[in-house]
Amino acid sequence: MFKPDETTYKLNDGNQMPVLGFGTYKLDKPELMNQSVQTAYNAGYRLFDTAQYYRNEKMLGDAIRNLGVRREDVFITDKVTEMNQGHDLTINSTDFSLQQLGTDYIDLLLVHWPVAEHFFETWEAFEELKKQGKVRSIGVSNFTRSQLELLKTQANEMPVVNQIETHPYLTQAPLIKFDHDQSIVTQAWSPLGRGLLLDNPMINKMAAHHHKSAAQIILRWDIQRGVAVIPKSQDPKRIAQNADLNFELSGDEMSMLDVMNRNQRTGNEPELVYELGKQYKMYQQ
C-alpha cells in the first residue's frame, strides 16, 4: 500500500527519503508558497525540494515553520547551483542556504548540474558538509553514467541520489539501471514532462480505466519502476491528486509506458552543461 507520508526509500548511507516529494520550482510568492506547502503537507507530502537557483529558500523555510510541525517531520532537499560550485563557494553558499531555510541541517544536498571546472572540489566540499552535520545526505542532479563513473575515481563516498529528468518520453532506462546497480536512488524531476504528456491518448486511456488523472498514471509508473518523484503544481486539487497513488498498473500498462521513449528532453543536456564548464575553464586559462 502506498502512503505518501510513510513510504520511503532507504538510501545507501542508511537514511530514509520519502518516495514522493513536492517540487517548489517557480513558487516565487510567499502566499503561494504557504498555500502550496500546507496543501502538500495535508495531502501526505513530507519531502520539499528547492534549490539555490530557485531563489525561494527563505519562503520555503518560512512555509515549513508555518506548518507548526517538528523539523524531523519534514525532509528538505536543496541544490548547489553552478555559479556556487568549487570548494569554498560550495561551503559558503550552503551556509547561506541554511540561514535562508532557517534550519540547522539540510536532509539532502545535491550538486544541481555537473560542472567540469569544479567537479571534484565541489564533491569534496559536500563530503565535508556531511561530516560537519550541516547536511544529512549528499547526492547529485543531472549526472550521466560517465560523470558518476568519473566521480567514483576520487569520491570517498558516492551519491545517495541522482535526480534526473525522466518521464515516458525520456525513460532513461540504462541510467536508472546503472544508478540501481550502484545503490543510488533515481529521483525524477519534471516527471510529467512539464505537462507535455498529459494529453497523450494512450496515457489518458489508462487514466480513464483506473479512474485517475494522466499525471497519476505517470507518477505511479515511476514508483513501480523504483523511481522517486517530485511533481510540482500550484493547483490545490492537483497537489492532492498527485499524492493519491495507491493503485497498481498492470505489467502490460507498464510496458506500454516504457516503449513511449523518444529521448525527448524538456531541460538541458547534462553533457552539454559539463562541456560548457570545461570550455569556460580553458578560456580562463
Side-chain angles (χ1 to χ4, degrees):
M1 179 178 290
F2 179 83
K3 294 184 178 180
D5 58 340
E6 296 179 10
T7 308
T8 63
Y9 284 137
K10 186 175 182 179
L11 304 176
N12 63 35
D13 62 1
N15 293 324
Q16 300 283 336
M17 182 186 80
V19 172
L20 177 70
F22 183 69
T24 65
Y25 181 47
K26 292 191 175 179
L27 292 181
D28 56 1
K29 295 181 176 60
E31 304 80 13
L32 182 59
M33 180 69 82
N34 275 314
Q35 175 189 316
S36 299
V37 167
Q38 182 71 65
T39 301
Y41 188 85
N42 291 343
Y45 296 80
R46 293 297 179 266
L47 186 157
F48 295 91
D49 178 278
T50 186
Q52 294 173 352
Y53 176 77
Y54 302 168
R55 298 183 182 276
N56 63 9
E57 293 164 309
K58 186 178 187 305
M59 283 185 278
L60 175 60
D62 290 343
I64 288 173
R65 278 187 294 281
N66 289 339
L67 291 173
V69 301
R70 298 176 304 168
R71 171 65 182 87
E72 57 266 34
D73 290 336
V74 295
F75 187 106
I76 298 174
T77 298
D78 206 342
K79 300 184 273 294
V80 175
T81 193
E82 297 92 290
M83 69 180 68
N84 289 337
Q85 290 184 35
H87 182 275
D88 292 350
L89 275 174
T90 293
I91 299 287
N92 293 338
S93 68
T94 301
D95 284 341
F96 184 68
S97 291
L98 286 164
Q99 292 174 23
Q100 292 291 292
L101 288 163
T103 182
D104 293 331
Y105 68 93
I106 294 166
D107 293 277
L108 174 63
L109 187 67
L110 305 177
V111 180
H112 203 157
W113 287 89
V115 175
E117 185 185 6
H118 303 297
F119 191 77
F120 292 114
E121 57 177 322
T122 296
W123 190 249
E124 182 183 359
F126 268 53
E127 292 177 338
E128 287 181 22
L129 287 163
K130 184 178 179 183
K131 288 178 182 176
Q132 293 168 5
K134 294 178 180 179
V135 302
R136 297 283 174 86
S137 295
I138 52 177
V140 296
S141 181
N142 302 301
F143 272 49
T144 63
R145 174 174 177 165
S146 62
Q147 290 156 354
L148 288 167
E149 288 178 330
L150 178 62
L151 185 64
K152 194 173 185 178
T153 64
Q154 293 192 27
N156 292 310
E157 62 178 290
M158 285 296 283
V160 298
V161 166
N162 186 15
Q163 187 186 104
I164 61 172
E165 179 182 0
T166 182
H167 44 72
Y169 288 170
L170 184 69
T171 56
Q172 300 252 47
L175 178 56
I176 291 170
K177 182 182 185 304
F178 177 78
D179 285 349
H180 181 266
D181 291 345
Q182 299 296 312
S183 300
I184 298 170
V185 172
T186 303
Q187 187 179 54
W189 66 259
S190 193
L192 308 177
R194 293 180 176 169
L196 189 67
L197 297 111
L198 300 183
D199 293 327
N200 181 282
M202 182 67 73
I203 295 174
N204 277 284
K205 186 175 181 180
M206 291 182 199
H209 174 73
H210 288 277
H211 305 289
K212 299 292 182 181
S213 70
Q216 286 170 299
I217 295 297
I218 296 166
L219 295 172
R220 182 66 211 184
W221 167 73
D222 266 322
I223 288 169
Q224 283 185 220
R225 67 187 186 128
V227 173
V229 290
I230 47 168
K232 65 182 182 67
S233 177
Q234 299 180 10
D235 181 274
K237 180 182 177 182
R238 290 180 181 172
I239 291 172
Q241 200 175 60
N242 289 345
D244 181 15
L245 302 174
N246 190 30
F247 65 100
E248 195 86 14
L249 295 175
S250 70
D252 286 344
E253 288 171 326
M254 290 293 293
S255 295
M256 284 187 281
L257 289 162
D258 289 342
V259 299
M260 286 184 184
N261 183 52
R262 303 175 180 177
N263 292 322
Q264 183 175 350
R265 293 185 181 274
T266 65
N268 293 325
E269 166 59 57
E271 290 287 2
L272 179 60
V273 175
Y274 181 78
E275 289 299 324
L276 284 173
K278 284 172 65 176
Q279 292 171 25
Y280 174 76
K281 184 176 182 180
M282 290 171 63
Y283 176 77
Q284 290 291 91
Q285 291 173 341

